[in-house]
Amino acid sequence: MIIDTVIALFTRDLNKLKEEISAYKNESNLWKTDGLVSNSSGNLVLHLIGNLNHFIGAGLGNTGYIRQRDLEFSVKDVQRSQLIEQIDKTINVLEETLKNLTVKDLKKEYKYRVFKEPTTTEYFLIHLIMHLAYHLGQINYHRRLLDQ
């Protein structure tokens, strides 16, 4: 079933996210910006954690998570170990939420209107996978450019 693939992709890329932030030689560089690079890797990690906990945890799993999107980009200097712990918790939330979805659930209109037109839950989950992959690539590039 597609939900198994969705869980596998989220888990794969969130584990890769942990590898990326662990690969920084200097932990403080997680929070570095430079010129046109306006978002630090640390802030992108916080953004991904907030995004997934909001749209999947709260939106589909009724976890009660309250997103504070502005803090995702303004909080600084969270320890790497805390980021990894938050990623692990996010993986657990995703697995627990997504494993309970049925094919019928995936075909329903997604609860939140994010785009101009309504989307199915299945469509929106695929969008979220791509959003994670997009920022994961940015973090990889950030590390290679700014972790000197």
Side-chain angles (χ1 to χ4, degrees):
M1 188 164 87
I2 190 170
I3 202 62
D4 295 327
T5 303
V6 168
I7 292 169
L9 290 171
F10 275 123
T11 302
R12 179 199 69 188
D13 284 358
L14 287 168
N15 281 317
K16 183 63 179 168
L17 181 60
K18 292 189 305 184
E19 289 176 28
E20 281 296 332
I21 64 175
S22 294
Y24 274 79
K25 296 173 195 146
N26 183 340
E27 184 172 344
S28 67
N29 287 340
L30 281 164
W31 303 98
K32 189 174 182 180
T33 58
D34 184 43
L36 296 176
V37 180
S38 58
N39 289 321
S40 71
S41 287
N43 287 116
L44 290 173
V45 171
L46 292 175
H47 170 61
L48 289 168
I49 290 166
N51 176 272
L52 294 172
N53 276 287
H54 173 71
F55 287 118
I56 296 176
L60 297 173
N62 300 311
T63 61
Y65 181 85
I66 305 294
R67 187 175 190 187
Q68 296 178 302
R69 192 175 189 281
D70 57 325
L71 295 179
E72 295 168 14
F73 294 99
S74 61
V75 169
K76 304 290 182 213
D77 300 321
V78 177
Q79 291 182 349
R80 179 181 3 219
S81 61
Q82 290 177 298
L83 293 174
I84 290 170
E85 183 180 317
Q86 289 181 44
I87 294 167
D88 284 334
K89 287 179 181 177
T90 301
I91 291 170
N92 289 335
V93 166
L94 297 185
E95 288 174 346
E96 290 301 310
T97 300
L98 295 174
K99 75 179 183 182
N100 292 315
L101 296 180
T102 65
V103 172
K104 187 176 177 182
D105 293 329
L106 294 174
K107 300 302 178 193
K108 289 180 187 173
E109 184 177 317
Y110 181 68
K111 161 180 200 170
Y112 299 128
R113 177 75 62 93
V114 178
F115 306 111
K116 288 182 183 178
E117 300 296 322
T119 64
T120 64
T121 298
E122 178 180 50
Y123 178 95
F124 196 67
L125 288 172
I126 292 169
H127 164 76
L128 291 174
I129 292 167
M130 295 176 72
H131 177 258
L132 170 58
Y134 174 77
H135 287 311
L136 179 59
Q138 286 181 312
I139 291 166
N140 172 272
Y141 206 64
H142 179 279
R143 179 181 55 78
R144 291 184 288 133
L145 282 174
L146 300 179
D147 188 35
Q148 305 300 323

